[in-house]
């Protein structure tokens, strides 16, 4: 009988994408994927270390799984991803919480490590790599709607933001061979997928065929930067929508904005984390830009694409943040008016620059109060921004059934706003993967209501790919 594995992913999109690579490696090793931990011989948690809370969630889940082991002594539990790097000792050696610990660059060694685990040993590999991109591994799409997929284009991060643990958990930055990225997108199209999101910690640093000092490696191969890659992926099929995440304000080029503006199938949505509106805080965060630079990038986006949606990440209560510096964040939000934002209280992470250099000196209740102010303002802006769509006729890619009502489907417009439409249009039932035109009739801060005016393209079993 084949062995059964259950994989759970926590944290960012990159982790969900990595789990699909892990699933592929394990499928080749004879494992069958199952939906429930209760049905599995092996449970793998792909973990996140970005904030203390993320780690606590996983530690609680490990507790739960260790209870499950009481009922099923043959069950094995493994930790993958960022916590593997950060907490190997605690997980495996000191507290013996799990059987297996594997870092983000070591997934190819899973079959060997699992042999050791089956023999009753504990197994570990947390080596980081300068080369590993899993370039040619064909991911097994997990929990997929068959419509949208993630494609990882680079791994790691060289930026060293003072608050961030990622450079320690995911190692040095490296880009994936563009030919393998384009191939993966073509295959997705052939399987009926209609949208890809290109993923990287900092996609603007994507660079193929140059070495660490910027010199060309192989003169017979073209140098590919992120704008070039984006253009190649957009050329795979006019019916494939392209998104990407995440941009870095210090590296986002006008060349990328021009490519986005030129291609209707590249979605008009940019996630551009600002973190703080205060230049002094940004400097302590080691972000490499100040408030004026950031606002100039926003102006550049709006110049190239007046209808582009912009979202951000914000941290409240970073080391030394004064009330005035906090108000700078609120005023920057007023200046930009984000469509969407992910907002967090600062959480000190061991080994980071901030942990070594600055005191985590903003009291928790102050962090919390500032966070609430930021959230309240964002809610107001999101409502305003969403209402600007009302009256427009927009392309919406249907992704699934609405959570609230079986009679409705949900999809997204180019700006990444969720649009709810009726399931039936002119006597036909719409399905995930259909591309429709919808008139937006109302909007809240969370979603838009649309009325379908036309079906642009039904989800084909397979689509033609440009040669
Ligand atoms: N504390 C709080 N938020 C953090 N982020 C990253 N590190 C921390 C931290 N130590 C946030 C940043 C980043 C997002 C992915 O998570 O806003 O952009
Ligand atoms: Fe979490 Fe960052 Fe790791 Fe993603 S890269 S899983 S956000 S710590």
């Amino acid at each position: 009988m084949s062995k059964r594995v259950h994989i759970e992913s926590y944290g960012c999109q990159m982790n969900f994408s990595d789990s699909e690579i892990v699933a592929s490696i394990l499928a080749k090793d004879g494992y069958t994927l199952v939906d429930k931990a209760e049905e599995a011989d092996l449970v793998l948690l792909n973990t996140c270390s970005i904030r203390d809370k993320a780690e606590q969630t996983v530690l609680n889940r490990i507790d739960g799984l260790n209870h499950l082991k009481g009922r099923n002594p043959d069950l094995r539990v493994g930790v993958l991803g960022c916590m593997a790097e950060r907490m190997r000792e605690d997980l495996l050696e000191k507290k013996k919480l799990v059987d297996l610990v594997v870092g983000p660059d070591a997934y190819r060694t899973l079959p060997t490590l699992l042999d050791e685990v089956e023999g009753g040993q504990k197994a570990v590999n947390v080596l980081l790599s300068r080369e590993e991109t899993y370039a040619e591994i064909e991911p097994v799409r997990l929990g997929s709607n068959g419509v949208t997929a993630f494609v990882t284009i680079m791994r790691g991060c060289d930026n060293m933001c003072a608050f961030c643990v990622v450079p320690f958990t995911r190692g040095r930055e490296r880009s994936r061979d563009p030919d393998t990225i384009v191939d993966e997108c073509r295959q997705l199209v052939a399987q009926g997928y209609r949208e890809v999101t290109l993923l990287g910690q900092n996609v603007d640093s994507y660079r193929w065929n140059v070495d660490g000092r910027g010199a060309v490696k192989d003169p017979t191969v073209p140098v590919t930067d992120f704008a070039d890659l984006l253009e190649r992926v957009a050329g795979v099929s006019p019916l494939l929508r392209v998104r990407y995440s995440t941009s870095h304000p210090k590296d986002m080029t006008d060349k990328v904005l021009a490519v986005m503006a030129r291609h209707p199938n590249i979605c008009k949505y940019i996630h551009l984390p600002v973190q703080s509106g205060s230049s002094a805080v940004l400097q302590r965060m080691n972000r490499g830009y100040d408030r004026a630079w950031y606002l100039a990038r926003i102006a550049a986006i709006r110049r190239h694409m007046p209808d582009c949606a912009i979202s951000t990440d914000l941290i409240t209560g970073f080391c030394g943040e004064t009330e005035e510096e906090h108000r700078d964040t609120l005023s920057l939000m007023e200046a930009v008016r984000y469509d969407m934002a992910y907002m967090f209280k600062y959480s000190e992470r061991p080994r980071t620059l901030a942990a070594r250099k600055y005191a985590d000196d903003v009291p928790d209740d102050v962090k919390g109060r500032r966070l609430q102010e930021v959230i309240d303002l964002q809610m107001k802006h999101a409502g305003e921004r969403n209402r600007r769509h009302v009256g427009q006729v927009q392309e919406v890619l249907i992704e699934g059934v609405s959570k609230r009502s079986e009679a409705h489907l949900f999809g997204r417009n180019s700006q990444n706003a969720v649009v709810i439409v009726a399931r039936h249009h002119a006597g036909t039932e719409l399905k995930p993967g259909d591309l429709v035109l919808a008139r937006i009739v109302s909007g809240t801060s969370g979603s838009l209501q649309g009325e379908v005016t036309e079906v642009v393209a039904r989800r084909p079993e397979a689509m033609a790919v440009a040669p």
Side-chain angles (χ1 to χ4, degrees):
M1 213 176 72
S2 82
K3 300 161 282 184
R4 289 158 304 182
V5 61
H6 171 70
I7 308 178
E8 291 174 16
S9 307
Y10 298 82
C12 65
Q13 296 168 330
M14 186 72 89
N15 255 15
F16 285 77
S17 174
D18 278 3
S19 291
E20 300 186 329
I21 289 167
V22 169
S24 172
I25 292 168
L26 292 183
K28 286 215 173 66
D29 196 38
Y31 278 83
T32 309
L33 287 164
V34 293
D35 288 336
K36 292 201 186 98
E38 288 73 11
E39 295 163 0
D41 310 301
L42 170 69
V43 176
L44 297 176
L45 306 179
N46 198 353
T47 62
C48 172
S49 292
I50 198 91
R51 285 168 290 275
D52 185 56
K53 222 162 104 187
E55 291 189 342
Q56 293 309 323
T57 306
V58 170
L59 290 173
N60 288 338
R61 182 62 180 141
I62 293 174
D63 263 0
L65 290 171
N66 282 336
H67 275 112
L68 196 60
K69 273 188 177 173
R71 274 184 276 146
N72 173 9
D74 294 333
L75 178 68
R76 297 288 175 265
V77 176
V79 163
L80 313 178
C82 291
M83 279 173 76
E85 289 301 326
R86 235 189 56 69
M87 301 183 68
R88 186 200 75 224
E89 275 193 3
D90 269 7
L91 291 169
L92 217 53
E93 288 142 30
K94 281 199 206 141
K95 300 190 185 145
K96 300 198 182 355
L97 292 175
V98 296
D99 307 291
L100 171 77
V101 172
V102 190
D105 287 345
Y107 297 146
R108 284 183 205 265
T109 65
L110 268 166
T112 329
L113 296 170
L114 284 168
D115 284 346
E116 289 174 30
V117 168
E118 262 173 42
Q121 300 167 42
K122 305 266 176 193
V124 58
N125 185 352
V126 292
L127 284 179
L128 289 170
S129 155
R130 276 171 177 262
E131 279 95 39
E132 181 63 272
T133 60
Y134 303 109
E136 81 306 339
I137 292 184
E138 193 183 328
V140 170
R141 305 289 161 188
L142 299 174
S144 167
N145 55 11
V147 180
T148 60
F150 294 129
V151 175
T152 297
I153 63 163
M154 60 192 301
R155 304 180 67 82
C157 184
D158 283 354
N159 275 330
M160 288 291 169
C161 301
F163 50 78
C164 189
V165 77
V166 172
F168 304 96
T169 61
R170 286 187 166 268
R172 298 304 297 269
E173 200 168 86
R174 65 223 98 116
S175 297
R176 176 179 169 191
D177 182 337
D179 291 343
T180 68
I181 297 169
V182 171
D183 277 350
E184 187 175 332
C185 294
R186 291 164 69 95
Q187 260 178 37
L188 285 166
V189 170
Q191 292 160 7
Y193 282 82
R194 301 296 305 270
E195 187 179 290
V196 291
T197 302
L198 307 179
L199 290 182
Q201 237 72 43
N202 176 7
V203 293
D204 300 291
S205 306
Y206 179 89
R207 211 151 258 108
W208 180 252
N209 194 25
V210 285
D211 66 18
R213 274 167 271 116
V216 175
K217 278 195 199 158
D218 177 351
T220 64
V221 173
V223 169
T224 305
D225 65 13
F226 180 58
D228 303 328
L229 178 72
L230 198 54
E231 188 135 52
R232 280 189 66 184
V233 173
V236 166
S237 161
L239 279 179
L240 181 70
R241 272 185 169 189
V242 186
R243 301 186 185 278
Y244 64 85
S245 195
T246 296
S247 302
H248 196 301
K250 88 178 153 53
D251 301 322
M252 190 188 68
T253 63
D254 281 19
K255 186 177 168 192
V256 167
L257 299 178
V259 169
M260 286 180 79
R262 221 169 28 242
H263 292 272
N265 61 330
I266 304 180
C267 291
K268 302 299 175 274
Y269 168 66
I270 297 181
H271 183 58
L272 196 66
V274 67
Q275 314 298 358
S276 166
S278 150
S279 292
V281 174
L282 288 169
Q283 187 160 26
R284 291 203 291 284
M285 287 178 165
N286 197 30
R287 287 287 288 175
Y289 58 87
D290 61 10
R291 178 186 172 104
W293 172 277
Y294 184 88
L295 289 173
R297 296 324 293 148
I298 296 289
I301 296 172
R302 300 237 151 102
R303 206 161 50 236
H304 282 88
M305 294 166 286
D307 62 342
C308 192
I310 303 173
S311 64
T312 202
D313 292 344
L314 286 161
I315 298 176
T316 64
F318 183 66
C319 310
E321 186 187 67
T322 64
E323 210 51 40
E324 196 186 337
E325 288 166 346
H326 164 59
R327 280 197 300 274
D328 286 342
T329 295
L330 297 173
S331 77
L332 178 121
M333 293 171 74
E334 291 282 5
V336 178
R337 296 190 176 252
Y338 291 106
D339 292 81
M340 220 257 297
Y342 299 97
M343 299 156 280
F344 313 102
K345 277 199 284 193
Y346 173 60
S347 160
E348 185 175 86
R349 308 281 61 216
R351 289 175 72 196
T352 55
L353 197 69
R356 284 181 279 130
K357 202 167 155 191
Y358 304 118
D360 180 10
D361 55 359
V362 178
D364 193 60
D365 58 329
V366 176
K367 284 181 186 172
R369 192 254 307 149
R370 290 180 186 168
L371 178 64
Q372 196 54 51
E373 288 176 15
V374 165
I375 291 173
D376 290 345
L377 185 59
Q378 180 50 36
M379 283 288 282
K380 190 176 131 227
H381 290 164
E384 285 168 18
R385 292 288 290 162
N386 253 354
R387 279 189 289 279
R388 86 186 190 282
H389 298 290
V390 173
Q392 293 182 14
V393 175
Q394 300 182 329
E395 262 187 11
V396 176
L397 177 61
I398 306 293
E399 289 181 26
V401 179
S402 159
K403 270 190 224 116
R404 296 226 186 110
S405 136
E406 285 277 308
H408 290 82
L409 301 176
F410 79 95
R412 278 167 211 275
N413 64 10
S414 173
Q415 286 83 1
N416 207 37
V418 172
V419 182
I420 310 289
V421 297
R423 193 171 195 147
H424 290 89
H425 167 71
T428 55
E429 186 186 347
L430 298 171
K431 296 248 164 65
D434 290 347
L435 188 67
V436 301
L437 288 182
R439 182 182 308 283
I440 307 302
V441 290
S442 67
T444 63
S445 60
S447 65
L448 303 169
Q449 258 64 45
E451 284 171 6
V452 174
T453 58
E454 193 186 321
V455 179
V456 181
R458 297 306 303 258
R459 176 177 189 240
E461 287 316 308
M463 287 199 290
V465 182

